[in-house]
Amino acid sequence: MRIGLAGISHETNTYCQGLTPKDAFYVIRGEKFSETAGQHSDVGGAVDACNALGVEPVGILFASTQPSATIEREAYEAFKEEILLGLAAEMPLEGCVLLLHGAGVVDGIEDLEADLCRGVREVVGDVPVAASFDLHGNVTQAMADELNAVFACHHYPHVDLHERAAEAVGIVHEMARTGRRSRCSVRSVPVLLPTTTTYEGVGETALARLLDLEKQSGIVDLSWFHGFPYTDVAHVGSFVAASYFPEDQAEAEGALDTFTRELWSTREQFRATSLSAEAALAEANSRAEETGGGPVVIHETSDNCGGGTPGDGTHLLRAMLEAGLGGEACFSFLVDPEVAAQAHEAGVGATLRVSLGGKTDDLHGEPLDLEVYVKALHDGRLIMQHMFKGAPLNLGPMARLVVDDMDIVVASRRSQTFDQEPFLSVGIDVMKYKYVALKSSNHFRAGFQQLAKAIVTADTPGLTTHHIEVFPRQKCNRRLWPLDDQATYPEEGASDG
Ligand SMILES: [Zn+2]
């Protein structure tokens, strides 16, 4: 059996400046798909599942990049054309698995996934097509209508992307063998959820409930898409998708009703607290006192490259320097290729004056004028150890700088901090610090939840702030919680289903 693998995966933050061009994407083509085997990524999981089932994975094209601005039209059209022509050339295929995000926006196309899935369906005809997703997708029934099954990752941090892609391969394989076809229904709940981990609290409870409902209903899958609020599209919200065989429609509808109504009725529990940099440091200090030292992890959720921000924000770092935390604190990392290059040119042991961070826009803070000591350098080529375990991550030239005894790491390429590797690469053992600062919303938890004595969220001004009310919404005319007190679910004037 031969199954086509393809996808375009992008979390589009439409509030970012400019457009994301084609050359911003990394691509995997043809034989290169097999090199992802063993990686805990969606592509790696799909390849592994094919190998385990004795299926030939026919890799066409997978294109992805860091979350960023709206995708340039020509970039999307070129990737889409390559996928459609590639699939057409490989027909007959017994099935197809798409590796998607769900929150892709193209210049002139608000729903990347619906457009791409429609194109794929036209090419492959009635063969089974399933797709894996990031739970931050804003997904539509128009997209689901083209698919036989939908599998969003369940966890945030997304440690199960590979498992969900493997499930997509599994159901396509089953449907190709049996001739049966499942279908998908999507319900949209008018809430803008702040970034919510599933490792604890209300996110953990909601996920457990979803999995319980899925089990009780006996359907193929229930997927909860938290949704991506940092985007101005008509269909923004939070979503639940059910995949089911036609005879199980009543069970699927019942599970969708139950989960969406519970999500709506518990919405206040999702409301995020928001601490300024100074308040977060005060909170970190009291948590350190309570827990007998550290490390207390302070994550700057509002400058999360994983949501489209520049990663060079200086609000938290400035507060830490002003607080005089010295050798008790480390920060990894800020994205500043200019300073990384200066440090590499000066070499280990050099002292130099730099203008650090705050170079992309005014929102994320002013540059810091600092005299820094270059303690260590690294090429930035890392292997991820928790989320995307086994996959390479290239942060470009990195430097460990010391300012007033505080360790500050800079990298050259945009990314959030997923695990300890950006610290370890330049010789920093986070267990020796009272305060460990990083930029990420929740993915860092995969690598830090176990070791942190406490985790404190800093919500400084930034493009991924919890203050979602600051983003103008021109495309969306839904009444959305928490922006509008009049929001209801089921929505007035909308059919429930
Ligand atoms: Zn996500």
Side-chain angles (χ1 to χ4, degrees):
M1 186 186 294
R2 297 163 72 245
I3 293 179
L5 302 180
I8 302 172
S9 178
H10 188 246
E11 184 175 87
T12 306
N13 185 327
T14 61
Y15 300 105
C16 294
Q17 295 167 9
L19 294 170
T20 300
K22 192 177 177 203
D23 64 10
F25 286 78
Y26 73 87
V27 296
I28 300 173
R29 289 186 170 92
E31 293 299 306
K32 293 279 181 189
F33 274 71
S34 61
E35 292 176 10
T36 66
Q39 294 176 7
H40 290 187
S41 62
D42 44 4
V43 185
V47 169
D48 282 347
C50 286
N51 291 339
L53 290 166
V55 167
E56 181 190 336
V58 180
I60 308 295
L61 170 80
F62 175 75
S64 184
T65 186
Q66 282 289 325
S68 54
T70 300
I71 303 169
E72 220 170 68
R73 185 64 173 259
E74 304 84 77
Y76 169 68
E77 296 292 354
F79 291 141
K80 177 184 165 188
E81 185 180 26
E82 188 174 337
I83 288 171
L84 300 188
L85 290 176
L87 285 169
E90 294 291 348
M91 293 301 286
L93 291 163
E94 277 75 26
C96 184
V97 169
L98 300 176
L99 308 157
L100 305 173
H101 183 286
V105 182
V106 181
D107 192 18
I109 303 174
E110 274 200 6
D111 187 353
L112 180 158
E113 289 79 13
D115 185 73
L116 182 65
C117 291
R118 203 175 296 122
V120 168
R121 180 56 84 188
E122 279 171 17
V123 170
V124 302
D126 186 38
V127 306
V129 182
S132 69
F133 292 87
D134 186 298
L135 60 73
H136 291 113
N138 294 317
V139 296
T140 59
Q141 186 63 44
M143 175 206 75
D145 283 345
E146 310 295 339
L147 298 172
N148 297 102
V150 160
F151 299 88
C153 65
H154 286 316
H155 287 286
Y156 186 20
H158 306 334
V159 291
D160 59 338
L161 290 164
H162 61 304
E163 294 169 356
R164 300 294 276 159
E167 287 189 66
V169 170
I171 195 74
V172 165
H173 177 252
E174 183 190 326
M175 288 189 287
R177 281 190 309 115
T178 61
R180 300 175 75 206
R181 295 288 182 267
S182 57
R183 57 183 297 258
C184 309
S185 291
V186 172
R187 292 279 174 85
S188 177
V189 184
V191 297
L192 295 178
L193 293 186
T195 46
T196 306
T197 185
T198 56
Y199 273 19
E200 59 187 28
V202 64
E204 184 183 25
T205 308
L207 174 59
R209 179 64 172 145
L210 180 93
L211 297 176
D212 192 38
L213 284 168
E214 178 189 280
K215 204 166 155 190
Q216 284 174 26
S217 65
I219 61 173
V220 173
D221 189 80
L222 263 189
S223 286
W224 171 30
F225 290 84
H226 297 203
F228 186 62
Y230 305 107
T231 185
D232 189 18
V233 295
H235 57 281
V236 68
S238 188
F239 312 81
V240 190
S243 305
Y244 55 91
F245 288 104
E247 61 271 27
D248 297 326
Q249 176 156 5
E251 286 77 10
E253 300 288 348
L256 287 171
D257 272 341
T258 304
F259 189 78
T260 53
R261 286 170 191 272
E262 288 181 6
L263 186 61
W264 176 254
S265 65
T266 56
R267 63 193 180 281
E268 281 300 329
Q269 295 174 33
F270 287 87
R271 200 181 276 275
T273 53
S274 182
L275 301 180
S276 68
E278 290 76 13
L281 292 180
E283 173 71 10
N285 182 254
S286 61
R287 298 307 299 276
E289 297 298 310
E290 280 165 32
T291 57
V296 174
V297 173
I298 309 162
H299 67 113
E300 195 169 23
T301 189
S302 42
D303 185 18
N304 173 19
C305 289
T309 74
D312 73 344
T314 53
H315 294 300
L316 178 60
L317 178 59
R318 177 188 296 277
M320 290 173 73
L321 288 166
E322 285 173 359
L325 302 180
E328 291 189 315
C330 58
F331 197 135
S332 186
F333 50 88
L334 271 77
V335 181
D336 192 327
E338 205 176 283
V339 169
Q342 284 175 277
H344 276 253
E345 201 182 315
V348 171
T351 297
L352 65 154
R353 198 131 206 116
V354 299
S355 172
L356 178 61
K359 290 169 184 157
T360 309
D361 57 33
D362 296 335
L363 177 64
H364 297 85
E366 297 280 309
L368 300 176
D369 184 23
L370 300 171
E371 189 170 272
V372 303
Y373 173 76
V374 183
K375 180 82 173 171
L377 299 170
H378 195 268
D379 68 357
R381 289 176 185 271
L382 311 177
I383 301 294
M384 300 182 70
Q385 298 298 324
H386 288 273
M387 208 177 117
F388 296 124
K389 188 175 178 188
L393 177 69
N394 184 358
L395 297 179
M398 295 173 69
R400 172 180 173 181
L401 309 173
V402 182
V403 181
D404 297 337
D405 291 331
M406 190 192 298
D407 284 303
I408 302 164
V409 180
V410 295
S412 298
R413 296 168 69 144
R414 285 180 58 240
S415 170
Q416 65 186 296
T417 295
F418 288 96
D419 53 33
Q420 278 193 70
E421 294 304 292
F423 292 93
L424 289 169
S425 61
V426 286
I428 294 176
D429 175 359
V430 297
M431 299 308 290
K432 294 182 175 155
Y433 293 77
K434 191 168 170 185
Y435 306 105
V436 175
L438 53 85
K439 291 173 183 285
S440 173
S441 292
N442 278 305
H443 288 334
F444 75 96
R445 290 178 189 270
F448 288 90
Q449 186 99 7
Q450 296 298 325
L451 64 86
K453 291 274 178 54
I455 292 174
V456 174
T457 306
D459 190 15
T460 62
L463 269 179
T464 49
T465 175
H466 284 159
H467 288 287
I468 42 181
E469 70 279 6
V470 303
F471 298 98
R473 296 189 186 274
Q474 279 148 9
K475 304 277 177 61
C476 180
N477 50 26
R478 301 176 81 181
R479 293 181 181 278
L480 293 161
W481 178 89
L483 307 181
D484 189 334
D485 292 343
Q486 306 295 311
T488 57
Y489 183 78
E491 288 166 89
E492 279 164 23
S495 65
D496 181 14

